[in-house]
Amino acid sequence: MTCLPSLLKGLPMARDQNREIPDRSFSTPHESGKGVLLLHGMTGAPGEMRPLAKRLRRRGFACSCPQLAGHGGTEADLLRTDWRAWLDSARIAHEAFAKEVDEVHVAGICAGGALALLLAAELPAIRSVAAYSMTFEYDGWNMPRWAMGAPVIQLVANLPGLRRIAINEPSPFGLKDERLRALAAGATGGMIDGAIDTMPLGALYQLYRLGRRVEAVGPTITTPTLILHAREDDMSSPGNAHRLQACLAGPTELTFLNDSFHMIHVDRERDLVAELSAGFFVRHGIKVAALEAAHA
């Protein structure tokens, strides 16, 4: 799963072995010329984006979902990277995908949404962005008090003696859907192939830095942005969505969902997330822009 788990393991990680991380990136057929780059969350893997890709495919969008740098392996693999490396891998994926389609939209969950926005800041050709469950602070109803101490965590989380301490992901695992929650609870090694169900504090430090970077460049981001957030998000409160909307310079649409927790792209309202996203992408696509220009 993605983003913040919540209970300290307090145990050092096992030594990492030198081996190649399997690449679980995937794409769907390119037919219409309309494309969506899908970015998974931190500690997640491309497979978590498959339900959304399937639904967007039905709406005529080709999808590309890269595996972000450091992901798909172990905690040690993740710790060898930072948010800039995650952004680099998303940038490389966009460059390849943009050669295959006529227009590119970018959507991401949590850290993936933040990366999508930073890509848009660099690449004006991106038509629009959908940011799901944006997280500046872990202040959701299921978060322990220490998780809300972002300023303190940022001061100490990357220290050599602390950055390897890992955090376990607690129930409800960002899922309101009880069936999915049971699958997550019973899964050995994570419900999604390549995802890890713990997060080292050093990675959490990078996630906070990523959020601060979004706020720093937000006044330069003019790309139309759809912000979707669950009212009952167990990890990040709705205030994070308002905070994101306030920092962006471009047009935004903010919608709160009423029957999901943090993982809105796979939870009970996954169909609604796909529909809202597809509709937003269509409204900001090349053909619609051309029609509007012709009638101006």
Side-chain angles (χ1 to χ4, degrees):
M1 307 303 294
T2 58
C3 285
L4 184 69
S6 82
L7 301 176
L8 282 176
K9 281 173 67 178
L11 297 174
M13 297 185 303
R15 286 188 180 276
D16 189 50
Q17 302 297 318
N18 291 325
R19 84 279 183 267
E20 185 175 348
I21 301 174
D23 185 4
R24 299 173 179 83
S25 303
F26 71 88
S27 61
T28 60
H30 308 343
E31 297 173 355
S32 68
K34 300 184 295 182
V36 183
L37 184 69
L38 298 176
L39 302 178
H40 63 78
M42 189 178 70
T43 76
E48 72 178 79
M49 309 306 290
R50 286 191 182 277
L52 179 58
K54 180 179 179 180
R55 287 162 174 79
L56 291 175
R57 174 89 176 97
R58 292 173 184 163
R59 289 292 302 266
F61 290 93
C63 294
S64 174
C65 183
Q67 182 167 286
L68 298 175
H71 290 72
T74 65
E75 294 169 0
D77 294 319
L78 184 59
L79 274 177
R80 281 197 291 268
T81 61
D82 59 15
W83 69 267
R84 290 183 176 84
W86 308 340
L87 181 59
D88 286 343
S89 56
R91 187 185 298 114
I92 291 170
H94 173 273
E95 182 179 1
F97 191 43
K99 295 176 182 177
E100 300 175 356
V101 294
D102 300 323
E103 63 182 55
V104 178
H105 308 263
V106 189
I109 175 70
C110 197
L115 294 171
L117 288 163
L118 293 184
L119 274 183
E122 296 180 10
L123 305 168
I126 290 174
R127 301 298 304 179
S128 68
V129 168
Y132 310 139
S133 306
M134 179 64 186
T135 302
F136 292 106
E137 314 292 348
Y138 288 107
D139 56 358
W141 58 265
N142 196 41
M143 294 295 95
R145 290 183 179 179
W146 68 262
M148 302 181 191
V152 175
I153 292 174
Q154 288 183 75
L155 287 175
V156 302
N158 208 41
L159 294 176
L162 296 177
R163 68 190 307 266
R164 292 175 178 266
I165 294 177
I167 304 166
N168 278 336
E169 183 169 12
S171 180
F173 313 111
L175 297 166
K176 193 171 186 178
D177 187 298
E178 294 179 357
R179 182 184 64 85
L180 292 177
R181 191 188 306 168
L183 289 173
T188 301
M191 188 170 69
I192 303 297
D193 182 32
I196 57 176
D197 57 7
T198 59
M199 185 201 308
L201 286 181
L204 175 58
Y205 171 80
Q206 295 300 329
L207 190 60
Y208 280 130
R209 291 185 66 199
L210 174 61
R212 300 305 180 265
R213 180 61 181 170
V214 170
E215 283 193 302
V217 303
T220 71
I221 300 175
T222 58
T223 306
T225 300
L226 173 67
I227 304 170
L228 300 182
H229 207 101
R231 293 187 187 278
E232 296 181 272
D233 192 317
D234 54 322
M235 296 182 182
S236 57
S237 76
N240 288 273
H242 289 300
R243 183 171 169 179
L244 176 59
Q245 186 177 40
C247 84
L248 299 177
T252 59
E253 292 184 19
L254 171 57
T255 298
F256 288 109
L257 307 182
N258 297 314
D259 197 25
S260 299
F261 289 161
H262 187 71
M263 302 291 285
I264 60 174
H265 61 313
V266 296
D267 209 354
R268 289 179 176 176
E269 294 169 292
R270 54 190 175 272
D271 289 333
L272 178 59
V273 169
E275 278 300 305
L276 290 172
S277 300
F280 189 80
F281 298 153
V282 168
R283 291 196 300 277
H284 295 284
I286 292 176
K287 290 183 179 179
V288 171
L291 288 173
E292 291 177 345
H295 290 86

